[in-house]
Amino acid sequence: MTQTIDHVALLPAYLAAGTAVLVLLADLLVGRRAATAAVAMLGAAGTAVGAVLVGRGADRETFCTVDGCSWLATSRGALVGTVFAVLTLGVLLLSGPLLRAGAVPAGEYCFLLACSMTGGVVLGAAGDLITLIVALETLTIPLYILVGLRRRTVASAEAAMTFFLVSVVATAVTLLGAALLYAVRGTLHLAALAAAPALEAGAEARLGRVAVVLLLAGLAFKVAAVPLHAWAPATYDGAPLPVAAYLSTASKLGGVVAVIAVVVDGLGPWLAVSGPALAVLAVLTMTVGNLVALRQTRMVRLLAWSSVAQAGYILAPLGAAVAVAGRDADALSVAVAATVAYAVFFVVLELAAFASVVALRPADADGGEITAYRGAGRRHPFVAAAFVLALVGLAGLPPGLAGLFAKVVVVRSLLDGGAGWLAVVVALNAVVGLAYYLRVCGTLYAAGDVAGTARRVPWSVGLALGGATAVAVVVGFAPQTILDAVQL
């Protein structure tokens, strides 16, 4: 059959990939760090605009066969592409001091970020497992190098190696699950997998259940869910701070999008297996993340374990709806909306938290000990205020309305789905999380001068921090906009 290609649907991917090429050319022909970074920022902004423009129109499909389409330009895909592009722009702004100090090579750094952004944009539109897995790897592989770009630092090399080894194993498990699923169904298109009749018994049914478990286990790595979570704290702490911010936000968002695509769009016949598995993952992840975060003394490690706990909150409504409601379309739609909305709120608040850390630390330093931030609120009142807003938002307290609304959405979706026990677990874990979030807030305003004298916050970091904080405040007052954008 003759296959036509809808280039309009592919516009965000073209813009993201073109950004990576232009960054290389700028670095080769101009050779100035500022010019290279400016090209990367303009490309990320253009990608966000392109994703918004494509998302405003009707849904588009391309690369279609009789089984389904490999590229689905829907409103949800446009939202994912936009968020990835905006996150990349924010991380580039946070990287300004790092690039000016020469701590990392500007050309390679911006090129790898643009490549990772391309994977995120493609991930939002993936219509089959091959496209989805390739997009996830395109998102992840550049991060191996970015984590290890801190020159002459053993911790950075160790973090990169840890991330690489665990990721390779997770990818192999994911591919094995996809291969077994293909052996059972003869297709990898999500639409065809969802439309296939359920297998109740026999060797194929057992093989299908094994495939689902392997697929979900591999994807659990991307969201740092238990038991594939231990890489996150060491990797975040060893990476340059802006890269840690990108890992904690974009990489986690990519894993959430992949889990939603696989579970909701492709694993309909195996909901009885995938639902309980996700619910158990959510409980273990939020509990382990919160309990271990209580014992942390380093700032980035605390934020890393906090993000592990947040992954549990993100997965909870999806797992509960799939486990309890089965193939109820309305229940799944509400669960997906709650999951994606929480993920969007989380990445905005997490980016603001890491931007605050970058603003309070020297350009080429790591996150340091929590005690190093003692009294920082007295020397950097605006940065500290933004940091506190991000932390209380992650904790789900006012005035962090975005985080408060996110917690309410999750608990409400669990109660509506009949998973009251999981809502109780979420509430208890949220109370545990208050302890370490408020401890950091108290340290910022404690008496003392351990953090040193005040210094000027670079304009790019201030812009990223102000932008992330402003977005968090705006979506906190208009949360229904996010929910409307992610409805199936």
Side-chain angles (χ1 to χ4, degrees):
M1 60 179 290
T2 303
Q3 188 176 82
T4 59
I5 299 177
D6 187 345
H7 294 284
V8 174
L10 295 169
L11 178 62
Y14 288 157
L15 291 171
T19 299
V21 175
L22 289 175
V23 164
L24 284 181
L25 292 176
D27 187 51
L28 175 65
L29 300 176
V30 181
R32 297 178 63 87
R33 290 191 294 266
T36 302
V39 170
M41 291 178 193
L42 289 174
T47 302
V49 172
V52 170
L53 292 177
V54 172
R56 287 170 63 93
D59 292 350
R60 311 176 75 100
E61 300 175 341
T62 191
F63 298 122
C64 298
T65 66
V66 293
D67 289 333
C69 297
S70 296
W71 186 276
L72 307 172
T74 62
S75 58
R76 196 170 77 199
L79 175 65
V80 171
T82 303
V83 173
F84 269 106
V86 171
L87 286 175
T88 304
L89 178 60
V91 170
L92 285 167
L93 288 171
L94 292 181
S95 306
L98 198 67
L99 296 176
R100 282 194 294 272
V104 295
E108 291 90 333
Y109 185 87
C110 295
F111 169 73
L112 291 168
L113 272 179
C115 289
S116 185
M117 175 181 68
T118 304
V121 170
V122 174
L123 180 63
D128 64 68
L129 287 179
I130 294 298
T131 304
L132 185 141
I133 294 172
V134 169
L136 267 178
E137 292 308 299
T138 305
L139 169 66
T140 305
I141 288 175
L143 298 178
Y144 304 155
I145 307 170
L146 286 170
V147 169
L149 274 186
R150 279 174 61 198
R151 293 169 173 167
R152 301 180 298 277
T153 305
V154 175
S156 182
E158 291 175 346
M161 186 57 65
T162 300
F163 187 29
F164 170 74
L165 292 176
V166 179
S167 181
V168 166
V169 174
T171 301
V173 172
T174 305
L175 287 172
L176 178 58
L180 293 178
L181 206 56
Y182 181 79
V184 173
R185 290 303 192 188
T187 182
L188 291 176
H189 282 89
L190 297 176
L193 289 172
L199 299 172
E200 301 297 338
E204 287 189 347
R206 291 192 293 273
L207 190 60
R209 287 191 286 271
V210 172
V212 170
V213 171
L214 290 175
L215 200 57
L216 291 178
L219 294 178
F221 163 81
K222 304 299 181 182
V223 295
V226 174
L228 296 174
H229 65 288
W231 63 272
T235 301
Y236 291 11
D237 202 23
L241 283 175
V243 176
Y246 192 80
L247 271 170
S248 185
T249 55
S251 179
K252 192 173 296 292
L253 178 64
V256 171
V257 172
V259 169
I260 290 174
V262 169
V263 172
V264 177
D265 300 336
L267 296 184
W270 286 282
L271 288 177
V273 177
S274 57
L278 280 177
V280 171
L281 275 179
V283 171
L284 292 176
T285 301
M286 69 178 76
T287 303
V288 171
N290 279 320
L291 292 179
V292 180
L294 290 171
R295 299 179 57 83
Q296 299 307 306
T297 60
R298 293 183 60 80
M299 181 63 77
V300 171
R301 282 185 175 267
L302 183 141
L303 291 176
W305 283 107
S306 162
S307 73
V308 171
Q310 298 290 339
Y313 301 140
I314 292 171
L315 294 176
L318 185 62
V322 172
V324 176
R327 301 191 71 170
D328 186 329
D330 292 336
L332 286 177
S333 177
V334 171
V336 170
T339 299
V340 179
Y342 194 102
V344 171
F345 292 138
F346 162 73
V347 298
V348 172
L349 293 167
E350 188 81 350
L351 183 64
F354 269 98
S356 302
V357 173
V358 173
L360 294 172
R361 299 290 292 169
D364 57 348
D366 58 16
E369 299 287 330
I370 295 175
T371 54
Y373 296 78
R374 187 179 182 86
R378 300 169 183 268
R379 288 171 299 279
H380 297 281
F382 295 108
V383 175
F387 199 2
V388 169
L389 180 66
L391 291 174
V392 298
L394 290 171
L397 292 176
L401 295 180
L404 176 62
F405 177 79
K407 290 286 195 302
V408 170
V409 167
V410 167
V411 172
R412 186 177 63 188
S413 68
L414 293 175
L415 294 176
D416 292 344
W421 67 272
L422 191 49
V424 172
V425 174
V426 168
L428 291 175
N429 272 278
V431 173
V432 173
L434 293 178
Y436 57 84
Y437 287 125
L438 295 181
R439 175 163 61 96
V440 175
C441 294
T443 301
L444 291 172
Y445 290 96
D449 198 24
V450 180
T453 59
R455 59 185 180 81
R456 184 180 178 184
V457 177
W459 70 267
S460 60
V461 176
L463 182 60
L465 176 57
T469 305
V471 171
V473 171
V474 169
V475 299
F477 281 102
Q480 194 60 41
T481 303
I482 299 296
L483 278 177
D484 293 340
V486 299
Q487 288 288 348
L488 285 173

